[in-house]
Amino acid sequence: MKNLKYIITAIITFAIAVSCDNFEEINTDPNKTNRVTPAMLATQTLKDTYRFWNPNPSDFTSGNLFNKHIAMLETNPNPGQYYYSYYPYGSFGAFTRLTDLKFMSEYAEGSQFESSYKGLELFLKARFGFNNTLDMGDIPYSEAGKATEGITQPKYDKQADVFAGILSDLQQAESYFAQGVNFDGDIMYGGSVSKWRKLSNAMQLKVIQTMSKKVTEEQKAHFAAIVNSGNLLESNEDNFKLVYTDNPNATYPMWNGEERRKYTGVSELVVNSLKELNDRRLFYFAEPAQVKTDEGLEESDFEAYVGAPTEISAEQLALNNASGSYSLLNRRYVEFRDGDPMLYFTYSEQCFIIAEAIEEGWVSGNAQEYYENGVKAMLEYYMNLNHTSGWVHGMEIDQDYINNYFTGAAAYATNGTKEERLKQIWLQRWLIDFFQGNGGNYSQFLRTGYPEYPLNPSTSLNPDDPTVYPKRWMYPTDELTKNPENYQKAIDEQFGGYDGINQVPWYLQ
């Protein structure tokens, strides 16, 4: 086991060295394990976890299609736009990072940073588990990352148990961060244990709400206790995000992507929603449609913007785009190396999560206040965002606009039905993820059904049933050889033996 640890340490050291500017600064002697610091492992794991999987404009736009924020406007249909994928399988690859995280915590033992790195280890384990279970259903969680302990064929835990394990790990992570001190190697929060602690609490809220169809009274009470504790994100300063820079190794994935932008339309669902709300984010997201400016409409006119229907055929979209029928993605997205940060969890989303919970009676409070605070925070985010001056068609968001936003369709429906108010919350939550490349919140759409994503059976590429939305990805193909008994048991018990994308996992039943 000791030799195995040395071998793994050497591999980790080499991987970190390759990503560093100066290879010679890293010692590759596995017998000198103290040269591999917890901070180095933290940096490497956070980078691998939160950077976009393949940072180039083509893949980045493809990664934004499933949540119907944009549409591809070329004759070759992208499966992500039509409810399928070039590779319709999930992955357990993130769990391989648990070994690095385990060593990170071990190397920190006995130091003042021990609790901080243990908190990070558990938070990231919970993050990997949350994404994987939403992607696939039952997954290995309790035995994940234990190959060094001899568990090479981990059992699949029931999804209910996975959710429970995630919540337990996030709760323990919060406790560790509460005991910890600021630490090195953190590219997300700069090592602030206070911010990690608040995020660990906020993520528990998200996990509980995601399983709202199956939530227990005990979990609702836990949700309320977290809200009432007040130790949550407080403003945009606490947003959990990946910031891009002018460094070639940390460049915004859409930078220099003009050729791709010319075939990327803002969806009809986004454009029409923002026009109904009189929401100036439209001018930050999109360019006016050429046909409308040719007619004499100004770039600052909401009516100059036309969204692309994501459900019509690729051939028709391409023809319409050639005639200038649609609003393309705003030019600012391709102009700057240090473009828009990738938002993974925001103060705004936290506000919308709590607003929904208040409407559902899980916790007391003023849902309208949370709704308005969430919207204001996102508007303020764009108001203060770099590289927008001169790029938003004379329709900058300013404080006066924010102060007067809540009129018409944007005003909280205090006299309407609960369903009407929930739809307002869900729509604003969906808009947070516009062109973020962060995986979006497709699971929230599956949970709520809103906003309703367009689906045309004649263009859907869903191979099993073109009339429905996919609910999951299939398990990784290598599970058939690496972990066949547990794999077969999982699909037999969940889906009657068929590992299909339309099978309904426990949290949606």
Side-chain angles (χ1 to χ4, degrees):
M1 187 62 66
K2 185 176 181 181
N3 289 336
L4 177 61
K5 183 174 178 180
Y6 284 156
I7 292 169
I8 294 174
T9 299
I11 294 170
I12 294 168
T13 307
F14 178 77
I16 295 170
V18 169
S19 69
C20 291
D21 291 333
N22 188 348
F23 181 86
E24 293 181 355
E25 291 181 359
I26 306 299
N27 188 307
T28 56
D29 182 351
N31 293 307
K32 296 181 180 179
T33 57
N34 61 312
R35 296 299 297 273
V36 179
T37 67
M40 291 163 58
L41 293 172
T43 299
Q44 183 71 19
T45 307
L46 288 168
K47 177 179 73 67
D48 291 345
T49 299
Y50 290 110
R51 71 190 291 271
F52 186 75
W53 69 275
N54 194 21
N56 66 72
S58 179
D59 287 326
F60 191 67
T61 49
S62 292
N64 279 277
L65 288 169
F66 227 81
N67 281 291
K68 307 308 164 204
H69 290 126
I70 61 171
M72 288 289 95
L73 309 176
E74 50 194 351
T75 54
N76 183 33
N78 188 304
Q81 185 164 314
Y82 299 101
Y83 300 108
Y84 203 44
S85 172
Y86 289 112
Y87 191 76
Y89 300 93
S91 172
F92 294 137
F95 280 145
T96 62
R97 300 172 194 148
L98 293 178
T99 301
D100 294 4
L101 291 170
K102 177 183 177 183
F103 290 151
M104 176 190 72
S105 293
E106 287 182 1
Y107 296 159
E109 286 178 359
S111 76
Q112 63 178 324
F113 304 109
E114 179 176 348
S115 289
S116 303
Y117 286 115
K118 284 184 175 179
L120 183 62
E121 177 186 6
L122 282 180
F123 179 90
L124 289 175
K125 179 190 175 187
R127 189 264 189 190
F128 302 152
F130 188 51
N131 287 355
N132 282 350
T133 195
L134 293 180
D135 280 351
M136 292 172 276
D138 293 358
I139 61 166
Y141 189 74
S142 61
E143 295 183 352
K146 294 188 176 182
T148 58
E149 300 174 31
I151 300 177
T152 58
Q153 294 187 334
K155 69 177 182 179
Y156 282 58
D157 297 308
K158 294 293 186 182
Q159 191 170 56
D161 295 329
V162 176
F163 272 96
I166 290 166
L167 289 170
S168 177
D169 284 342
L170 287 172
Q171 191 171 6
Q172 182 61 59
E174 189 272 341
S175 179
Y176 278 135
F177 286 128
Q179 301 167 35
V181 297
N182 293 350
F183 59 99
D184 294 329
D186 176 13
I187 63 172
M188 305 297 286
Y189 271 148
S192 171
V193 290
S194 173
K195 290 186 177 183
W196 279 105
R197 184 183 181 191
K198 289 185 281 190
L199 179 65
S200 297
N201 282 328
M203 282 303 299
Q204 291 179 68
L205 302 184
K206 182 169 182 173
V207 171
I208 293 171
Q209 191 172 80
T210 301
M211 57 184 291
S212 61
K213 293 179 182 294
K214 296 291 187 177
V215 69
T216 66
E217 292 303 315
E218 182 180 0
Q219 287 162 339
K220 291 180 187 178
H222 183 57
F223 185 105
I226 293 173
V227 173
N228 292 330
S229 75
N231 199 355
L232 291 164
L233 278 62
E234 299 175 51
S235 69
N236 285 332
E237 293 299 311
D238 291 332
N239 286 348
F240 189 59
K241 61 185 183 293
L242 180 66
V243 176
Y244 298 102
T245 72
D246 287 330
N247 186 316
N249 294 318
T251 297
Y252 179 56
M254 197 62 187
W255 175 72
N256 204 27
E258 177 61 18
E259 286 306 307
R260 174 50 47 191
R261 189 196 69 83
K262 291 189 295 187
Y263 300 97
T264 305
V266 179
S267 75
E268 185 176 59
L269 188 57
V270 168
V271 171
N272 289 353
S273 296
L274 293 174
K275 287 167 75 170
E276 183 179 5
L277 294 167
N278 198 39
D279 194 314
R280 290 190 183 182
R281 280 177 286 185
L282 177 62
F283 304 97
Y284 288 67
F285 296 169
E287 294 292 321
Q290 181 184 331
V291 294
K292 294 299 183 180
T293 55
D294 288 348
E295 292 172 4
L297 292 181
E298 298 291 331
E299 292 183 359
S300 58
D301 190 333
F302 276 94
E303 294 307 312
Y305 294 77
V306 181
T310 57
E311 74 279 14
I312 69 175
S313 71
E315 293 83 358
Q316 190 61 55
L317 285 169
L319 284 172
N320 293 348
N321 184 51
S323 63
S325 297
Y326 301 130
S327 289
L328 301 180
L329 194 69
N330 191 296
R331 287 185 174 89
R332 70 183 182 84
Y333 287 104
V334 303
E335 291 292 325
F336 305 100
R337 275 187 180 271
D338 56 336
D340 289 17
M342 189 181 291
L343 301 174
Y344 278 98
F345 192 86
T346 62
Y347 169 72
S348 290
E349 183 171 13
Q350 176 184 282
C351 286
F352 298 136
I353 288 170
I354 297 173
E356 178 183 337
I358 293 171
E359 288 288 355
E360 294 291 359
W362 293 10
V363 61
S364 60
N366 187 326
Q368 179 180 357
E369 182 178 348
Y370 278 101
Y371 163 80
E372 292 184 354
N373 285 343
V375 176
K376 287 176 183 177
M378 279 315 299
L379 296 176
E380 289 168 358
Y381 171 80
Y382 281 101
M383 179 176 70
N384 296 317
L385 189 63
N386 288 336
H387 307 314
T388 59
S389 180
W391 293 93
V392 295
H393 314 294
M395 292 294 280
E396 285 81 2
I397 294 172
D398 56 26
Q399 193 59 53
D400 183 64
Y401 169 77
I402 295 173
N403 293 341
N404 293 284
Y405 179 87
F406 299 101
T407 60
Y412 200 59
T414 53
N415 295 322
T417 65
K418 182 179 83 170
E419 183 70 14
E420 289 171 337
R421 293 190 293 274
L422 287 174
K423 286 182 176 181
Q424 289 182 295
I425 294 166
W426 295 333
L427 177 64
Q428 291 286 351
R429 185 176 178 182
W430 174 71
L431 288 170
I432 292 174
D433 294 311
F434 179 82
F435 207 61
Q436 285 297 315
N438 59 9
N441 272 317
Y442 185 70
S443 58
Q444 300 305 323
F445 159 70
L446 292 176
R447 180 179 70 89
T448 67
Y450 195 82
E452 185 174 350
Y453 291 179
L455 174 63
N456 183 346
S458 68
T459 59
S460 171
L461 296 177
N462 186 326
D464 293 341
D465 186 349
T467 68
V468 302
Y469 304 100
K471 309 298 190 302
R472 58 181 294 274
W473 296 124
M474 293 179 281
Y475 288 113
T477 56
D478 61 1
E479 285 292 279
L480 289 165
T481 55
K482 289 182 177 179
N483 198 6
E485 291 185 11
N486 288 318
Y487 159 79
Q488 192 63 50
K489 184 172 185 288
I491 61 171
D492 286 346
E493 292 181 353
Q494 290 176 98
F495 310 126
Y498 180 59
D499 185 13
I501 66 171
N502 299 326
Q503 301 290 352
V504 183
W506 170 85
Y507 86 101
L508 293 174
Q509 293 173 5

